[in-house]
Amino acid sequence: MPDVLYIHPTKYGVATRGRRINTPYPIMPMGIIPLANLLREEGLSVVGLNYPLELRIDRSFHLGRWVASQEGVRLILMDLHWYEHSYGVMEIAQICRQLHPEAWILVGGFTASLYSREILENFPQIDFVIRGDAEVPLRMVATRLGRRSSALPDLSDVPNLSYRESGWIVENALTYRADEAMLDRLNFVDLDFLEHADRYGELQFVATMLTASSPRPMRGHWLSIGRGCHFDCSYCGGGARVHRAIAGREQIVLRSVEGVVEDIQRLQRLGIDQVSFSLDPAILGESYWTRLFSEIRNRGIQIGIYNEFFQLPSKEFIDELVRTVDITRSELAFSPLSGSEPVRRLNGKFYTNRKLLRTLSLLKRHEVPIYVYFSLNLPGEDERAFRRTLDLARRIGHLYPPHLLKMINMCHTVDPCSPMSHDSRQYGIEVSFQSFMDYYTYCRSASTEQSSLDQEQFRGFWLRDDQKRSLEDMANRWEAFRANAKFLCYPVPRAW
C-alpha cells in the first residue's frame, strides 16, 4: 500500500496498449529519481511505474488493473516534462482519478510549468502543478496532504505551487530553485522504488556497434550533473530562456565533481555499463572537465559514457575523454543539423564543416563510436541547404569507419518556449502551436498514425516561403542516400 504512486506516461495514453511501443521519451526525466528518494527519506512509501517500459516487456500490460491494485495511495505523481506527453498524461490522470477518487494528482516538468494555469483550467483531474524545481515544494505538499475527501491543508507557503482553492486557481510565488548544495545532497542513483528497475537500465543504454554482440544485456543510467544551459538553440525547449522562465535560473548550477564521480562509482558497482550526462561537460569549462576525468581515473572507474556535444569539443577534451572512459561502451553524439553553415548558425550551432570533419578525424584515430544528427525541417533548411547536407553526410560517411558510425535526419516539432516559438520572424516561419491545448491536440491526433511530411503544420510551424522546399521530396532523397550508405543510417521518422 504505497503512500505515493509515480507513473511515467506514454504519448498515446492507454491507446498504446497492444499495438505500439515506439512512444517518444520512454526515459524518465532525471529529476524524478531524487524526488522519489526525497519522499522516501520523509518516511513515505513510493512505488513507481515506467509505462512505456512495461509495454516493451509485455504488450498486453493493462495500466488500469495495475493502478487499481495500488490500494491506499494518497498522492499520484506524473511527469509532464516533454510536450509529447501532453495528451497521455491527461488520459492516464483521468484513469487514476476514476480508480482512486480519494487520491490527489500532481504533475510537474517543463511543459507543466509553462502551462500550469491552462492545465488547471481545462483538466479537473489535475489537482496540483509544481512549476520549476520541485524538491522543496513536493516534499511540503506530500507530507501535508491527507485523503482527497478531507479539507485541503493550507498550502499558501509552498513555493512554485499552482492549485485550486474554492474554485479559484492559486499560483504561489516562484521562489524556490535548487542550488549546488541541494543538488549535491540528492540521490540520483537509487531506483528500487521503480517496477522492473533492472530492465529500465537496459532501456537507458545507448547501444554502440561494438556492444551489439554483448553476451548479456548492457545497462545505462542518465545522470544529472547540473541544471541550466548557456545556449538558446532555435528548436530547444530546454535552453537558457526556458530556465529563466520556469525556474528563475540565470546560469547553470553544477553539482560538485566529487558528487558526480561518487555517483558514477556507485553506478559501476550496481552493474551499470554506461553513464549519460544531462549536460555536456565540454561546455562547463576546462577546470570542471579536467577534474571530472581525473577523478574518474584516480578511482579506477571503468565505464562507458554517452555524451551529446552542444558545440564542438576541443582536442584537449577529446584527449582527456578517450584516456578515461571505456570506448567500447561509449558513444558521442554530434548535431550539425545541416550541411549549410548559415543554417547551422541560425539554429544555434557555431562551427564550420571543416572543424566538424577535423574533430571527427581525431575521434577516428581512437575508434570512438559516434552518432550524427541532421534535421530535415528546421528554419533555413530548404532545397539548396539540403544539397549541402547530403554532401556533408557523404563526406562523413567516407571519413568515418562504417562500423563506428550512426546517422539520422530528424523532423522537429516546435518546442514550447523555444526561440522558434517566440521569435518566429527571425527564423522565417509561422508558428501554430501556442497553447497547451495545441500540444494536447497534436499528441492526440498523432495516435491516428498521421505521417505525411507535406503537412508541415502538423509539426506546429512552417516556412513563410513554402515554395523553397518539399519535405516529402527531401525525405525521399535522404532515403536514396541511406539505401547506398555502408554505415547505419536511419530513415526520416514520419511520425512518432
Side-chain angles (χ1 to χ4, degrees):
M1 295 177 58
D3 298 308
V4 180
L5 200 61
Y6 162 70
I7 301 173
H8 178 59
T10 66
K11 177 173 181 171
Y12 310 104
V14 295
T16 311
R17 184 167 58 88
R19 69 177 183 86
R20 66 185 301 165
I21 55 174
N22 61 331
T23 183
Y25 302 109
I27 305 298
M28 305 180 309
M30 284 166 277
I32 289 296
I33 299 172
L35 290 176
N37 287 322
L38 268 179
L39 296 183
R40 295 200 296 172
E41 290 173 12
E42 293 290 334
L44 298 170
S45 57
V46 181
V47 172
L49 183 94
N50 183 311
Y51 186 29
L53 173 63
E54 296 301 319
L55 289 168
R56 289 177 184 235
I57 296 171
D58 178 6
R59 295 192 66 171
S60 65
F61 177 80
H62 197 290
L63 180 66
R65 292 194 194 113
W66 184 86
V67 171
S69 71
Q70 306 301 311
E71 299 177 358
V73 62
R74 289 192 289 117
L75 178 62
I76 299 173
L77 310 177
M78 280 188 286
D79 58 278
L80 181 44
H81 185 68
W82 293 288
Y83 66 81
E84 292 284 5
H85 295 140
S86 297
Y87 171 70
V89 162
M90 297 307 151
E91 186 183 37
I92 294 171
Q94 184 60 33
I95 291 169
C96 291
R97 170 65 70 234
Q98 293 167 358
L99 296 172
H100 292 292
E102 299 299 304
W104 303 93
I105 299 178
L106 182 150
V107 298
F110 276 12
T111 300
S113 299
L114 290 166
Y115 298 115
S116 57
R117 176 170 288 274
E118 188 179 353
I119 288 169
L120 291 171
E121 288 173 344
N122 289 282
F123 297 93
Q125 63 266 43
I126 303 300
D127 296 304
F128 306 105
V129 178
I130 292 180
R131 311 184 320 274
D133 292 347
E135 291 81 17
V136 168
L138 179 59
R139 185 170 54 192
M140 294 174 71
V141 169
T143 55
R144 292 183 189 181
L145 289 177
R147 305 294 288 168
R148 195 165 181 267
S149 57
S150 60
L152 183 71
D154 180 14
L155 301 172
S156 60
D157 63 333
V158 179
N160 305 14
L161 185 68
S162 297
Y163 58 103
R164 296 186 204 83
E165 187 171 28
S166 302
W168 296 92
I169 294 175
V170 179
E171 292 190 298
N172 293 348
L174 191 73
T175 56
Y176 167 73
R177 59 180 174 273
D179 56 16
E180 181 179 324
M182 172 59 79
L183 293 185
D184 270 341
R185 70 163 295 248
L186 296 176
N187 180 348
F188 288 93
V189 172
D190 290 325
L191 273 165
D192 49 326
F193 67 91
L194 184 70
E195 300 278 316
H196 291 110
D198 285 348
R199 296 294 297 273
Y200 183 56
E202 296 172 24
L203 183 63
Q204 293 185 86
F205 184 79
V206 180
T208 75
M209 307 294 276
L210 302 179
T211 57
S213 60
S214 172
R216 63 172 178 84
M218 306 291 275
R219 298 166 59 217
H221 189 98
W222 276 89
L223 181 64
S224 176
I225 63 173
R227 294 179 187 171
C229 191
H230 293 316
F231 303 103
D232 271 314
C233 298
S234 67
Y235 54 90
C236 182
R241 177 203 298 268
V242 181
H243 281 273
R244 284 194 297 271
I246 69 170
R249 181 172 292 112
E250 295 292 339
Q251 59 189 3
I252 292 176
V253 55
L254 289 176
R255 298 181 61 201
S256 67
V257 166
E258 293 74 20
V260 171
V261 177
E262 180 66 31
D263 280 357
I264 295 173
Q265 189 166 45
R266 286 187 61 209
L267 289 166
Q268 180 181 248
R269 291 173 183 151
L270 292 169
I272 295 298
D273 299 283
Q274 181 189 81
V275 169
S276 302
F277 291 136
S278 61
L279 289 171
D280 172 14
I283 70 165
L284 302 179
E286 185 173 355
S287 173
Y288 189 89
W289 53 258
T290 53
R291 287 187 293 120
L292 176 68
F293 291 137
S294 175
E295 186 65 18
I296 291 173
R297 291 194 301 270
N298 289 342
R299 297 194 185 204
I301 299 170
Q302 283 292 304
I303 203 165
I305 295 293
Y306 173 76
N307 191 63
E308 298 175 354
F309 288 113
F310 292 6
Q311 303 294 333
L312 285 186
S314 65
K315 178 183 181 300
E316 291 75 18
F317 181 93
I318 291 173
D319 289 343
E320 282 288 288
L321 182 142
V322 297
R323 64 187 285 241
T324 302
V325 306
D326 181 344
I327 293 298
T328 64
R329 294 180 287 173
S330 297
E331 185 169 274
L332 304 179
F334 296 84
S335 299
L337 305 175
S338 173
S340 166
E341 293 171 2
V343 172
R344 188 179 305 142
R345 285 194 301 273
L346 174 67
N347 290 288
K349 303 298 180 181
F350 305 106
Y351 51 86
T352 65
N353 291 339
R354 182 179 179 182
K355 288 184 177 179
L356 172 64
L357 294 170
R358 188 164 60 205
T359 299
L360 298 187
S361 294
L362 292 174
L363 293 169
K364 174 185 175 181
R365 298 174 194 169
H366 301 287
E367 298 187 320
V368 180
I370 65 169
Y371 200 160
V372 180
Y373 289 83
F374 292 103
S375 182
L376 195 72
N377 71 330
L378 282 180
E381 185 73 353
D382 54 19
E383 299 285 349
R384 182 178 179 183
F386 185 67
R387 288 195 293 270
R388 294 177 179 172
T389 296
L390 285 175
D391 178 66
L392 179 59
R394 291 189 187 99
R395 293 172 69 185
I396 293 172
H398 291 148
L399 167 71
Y400 219 78
H403 69 290
L404 300 173
L405 174 61
K406 293 189 290 191
M407 191 180 292
I408 197 169
N409 206 329
M410 302 285 290
C411 276
H412 279 80
T413 301
V414 64
D415 257 28
C417 210
S418 65
M420 283 171 56
S421 70
H422 281 268
D423 304 319
S424 58
R425 289 195 173 275
Q426 174 186 343
Y427 296 103
I429 60 174
E430 297 287 346
V431 176
S432 58
F433 288 2
Q434 302 285 354
S435 67
F436 178 75
M437 292 308 297
D438 291 331
Y439 286 98
Y440 174 87
T441 302
Y442 154 76
C443 293
R444 183 176 61 185
S445 62
S447 65
T448 65
E449 304 281 355
Q450 183 171 0
S451 63
S452 172
L453 288 166
D454 282 339
Q455 297 182 26
E456 288 197 58
Q457 294 185 46
F458 184 67
R459 300 283 180 178
F461 74 100
W462 63 97
L463 287 186
R464 284 202 178 92
D465 187 353
D466 60 3
Q467 302 302 311
K468 287 188 174 182
R469 70 184 184 193
S470 164
L471 294 187
E472 195 70 39
D473 178 65
M474 291 159 66
N476 290 337
R477 287 157 61 195
W478 181 264
E479 182 62 26
F481 163 75
R482 186 182 78 87
N484 294 310
K486 291 182 170 58
F487 53 89
L488 183 56
C489 186
Y490 297 100
V492 178
R494 299 299 177 114
W496 285 105

